[in-house]
Amino acid sequence: MIRLFCNLPALVLLLASSVALAAERPNILWITAEDHGPHLGCYGDTYATTPHLDALASRSMIYTRASSTAPVCAAARTTIITGMYAPSLGAQHMRSRVKAPEWLTFYPALLREAGYYCTNRAKEDYNIRVEHKGWHESSSKAHWKSRPEGKPFFAIFNFTKSHESQIRNAHPNPQHDPSKVSLPPYHPDRPEVRKNWAQYYDRLTEVDRQAQRCLDELKQAGLEDDTIVFYYADHGSGMPRGKRYAGWSGLHVPMIVHVPEKFRHLAPEGYRAGGQSERLVGFVDLAPTVLSLAGVKPPEWQHGRAFLGKYQTEAPKYSFGFRGRMDERPDVSRSLTDGRFVYIRNYLPFLPHGQRLYYQMQTPATRVWFELFQKGETNTVQSAFWKSHPAEELYDLSKDPHETVNLAAVPEHHQTLLAMRQAHEQQVVNTRDLVLLPEPMMHQQAEKLGVTPAELAKKHYDPESILPYARLSLLPKGEADRALEKWTTQDLPLLESYWLAVYLQTLPESDVVKYEAFLLRTMKRGGLPALVAAEILARSPRNKQQAEQAVQRLVAFADTKQSDSFTSIYAYNALDRLQPLPESVIKKLAKLNAVTEGYGGSYIARMRGHLGLPEPAPTKKKKRKSNSK
C-alpha cells in the first residue's frame, strides 16, 4: 500500500496522459449503404435526390475512383474486414465461409487492442470464419453511445434500403419519374426497366435521410468535431450488370470522407472541403486506412494501402477487382483499372457475364431484358451481357463510360492491353490469388493437406507454373494448337489438365475432335477435369453412345451422395448448359439426393430449379444474433 501511495503521482500522470492520448485520437464513423454506385447529386447525377449526402460532400472530399474490389456484398465485405484480397484466402466465392488461418486478425480486433470501442450495426456477411471478430457489439442495436465515457469509438451503421431486393417491390408510383431516367445503353428501354431504375433512385433518397440521422446524432452529442466520417456503398447498383459484374459498373462506388479541422493532419495532401480526389482507392484499402487513422501501423500481411492517417502511402498505379462464384453460378474473372482503362480477364470465356441467377432474375428489369434477348429483340450492345464473354476485355472509360466497346483486339491499344495483362498476372503471383484453383479442387486439396485455403495459397500453390495452361485462350491459334498437341499427349497433373479442358470448351467441335483421346482419358481420371471433359463429350454429335455416357457421368457428379456440394454445383451448371436434356435424364436427376442444409444446399436447389426440377423454397430469414464480446 505504501509503495502504491509513493507511486500515486506517477500513476495519476500516466492516467492523465492516457486520457489526453485518447482525446487526440479521432472517433471514426462509417455510414454504409448497400447496392449502389455513385448515383448521387455530389457525383454529378442530376436525377438523384440526395441533399444530405450532397451537403456532407460539400464539406468533405469525395473519391471519384473508389472501387468495392468485388461486385457483390460478401466478397467485398470479406476484403474490407481482412484488408486482404479475398482470393488470397479462398474467400472470393459467394457465402463460402472458409476457415481463416491462425495469423489473420480482423481489423476491429486490432482497433480494440489499441483502445477503441468497436461497434457494427449490423451486417457482417463475411466469407471467412474467425473465432473472434473484434466487435464489442455487432447487432441491430449496436451503437457508439454504449462506449465507456472518454473512449474513442469506431462504429459502422449499415443501411439496406437500397439493396437489390428493395428496388423490385410492387410500389406502383415511384417518386422519381421513370420517363426521365437516363438509361445506360446496355439496358433495353422498357417500362419495367425504367420503373426499377426509378425505384432505385427512390431508395437512394431514403438512404440519404438515414445517413443524415447518423450525422445528427453526432452533432447532438457534441462529437461532430471529433469524428472522421466515411460514407460509401458496398458495390455497384443492384440493377443488372451492376452488382456481380466484374467491370467498372459493378465496382464503382461513392466514397465521401469528412475530416474535421481538428484532425486535418491525418488527411491526405490536397484535402479540402468540397474537393475531389482521383486517387485509386479500393475496399482492400479500408482496413489499413482506419488503422492508420487510429495510429496503428497496418500489419504487413494486409494487401491494402492506407490513404489517410499516420501511415498513408503513395497512390497505387492500379486498382484491382475480382469475381468468383455468384450464388449458384461459378465464374472466374479478374479486373483492374488505372483510372482510365478497365481490363477484365475472363478465365471461363465460354460463360456470359449475365448468367441466370435465381435471385437476380426476381428483378423485373432482369427478366424482361433476358426475355427480349431470347426473342432476338436486343441490339448488339444489349445482347453482349447474355453472350459468352471474351477472354480479355479492355474499355476506355474516358470515351466509353458504360464499357460497351471492347478494345482488346484494337492494334492501337495493344500495348495498354499487354501492360494491364502483365499487371494482372503479377498481382496473381504477388498475392497468391487462388484464381487458378477451382473452388471444388481448392477445398479438396486444403482438406487433404489439413490446411486452410489461405495456407494452401501460401505454401502449396504455384500460380506461375499453372498460368501457361490457363493462358491458352490468349495465344494466337497456331501457337495454342502447338501447345495443345504437346500437352494433351502428356500425363499432366489434374489442375493443368483442368485448364486444358477449359480451353477445349471454347473451341468448335471441328477442333475438339482432334483431342478426343485426351478428353476420354481425362474423363476416366475423375475429379473436376473429368467433369469438364464429360460436358465437352456430351455435346459431340458424332458418337451418340459416348455422349450419353458423358451425360450420365455428369449426373453422377451432381449426386451429393457421391460428390461434395462444390462439385455438385459445377455438375448442375454443366447439365444446365446442355439443355434441353432427355426426359430420361430429367427423371434420373429428380431422384438424386440434393442437400438442403449447410453450404451449397440452397444453391443446388436453385440449380435444380433451372433444370425444371422442384423449385427452391423461399429463403427464410434467420434471426440475427448479437455476437458481443
Side-chain angles (χ1 to χ4, degrees), residues 49-50 175-176 200-209:
T49 308
T50 52
Q175 292 180 344
H176 285 79
Y200 167 70
Y201 278 91
D202 281 358
R203 293 300 184 174
L204 295 189
T205 300
E206 292 186 53
V207 167
D208 181 75
R209 289 194 289 264

Side-chain angles (χ1 to χ4, degrees), residues 34-52:
E34 303 202 5
D35 298 18
H36 83 81
H39 301 106
L40 307 174
C42 56
Y43 277 84
D45 193 321
T46 57
Y47 185 65
T49 308
T50 52
H52 301 302

Side-chain angles (χ1 to χ4, degrees), residues 4-5 43 80 131 162 182 190 255 329 416 426 442 454 490 503 516 527 550:
L4 178 61
F5 180 80
Y43 277 84
I80 293 173
E131 187 175 350
S162 51
S182 178
R190 290 295 188 273
M255 178 79 70
R329 298 293 192 180
T416 299
Q426 193 60 54
M442 177 186 78
Q490 297 177 1
Y503 176 65
E516 192 173 86

Side-chain angles (χ1 to χ4, degrees), residues 596-607:
T596 54
E597 294 181 2
Y599 176 81
S602 64
Y603 296 148
I604 291 172
R606 291 177 185 184
M607 284 311 307

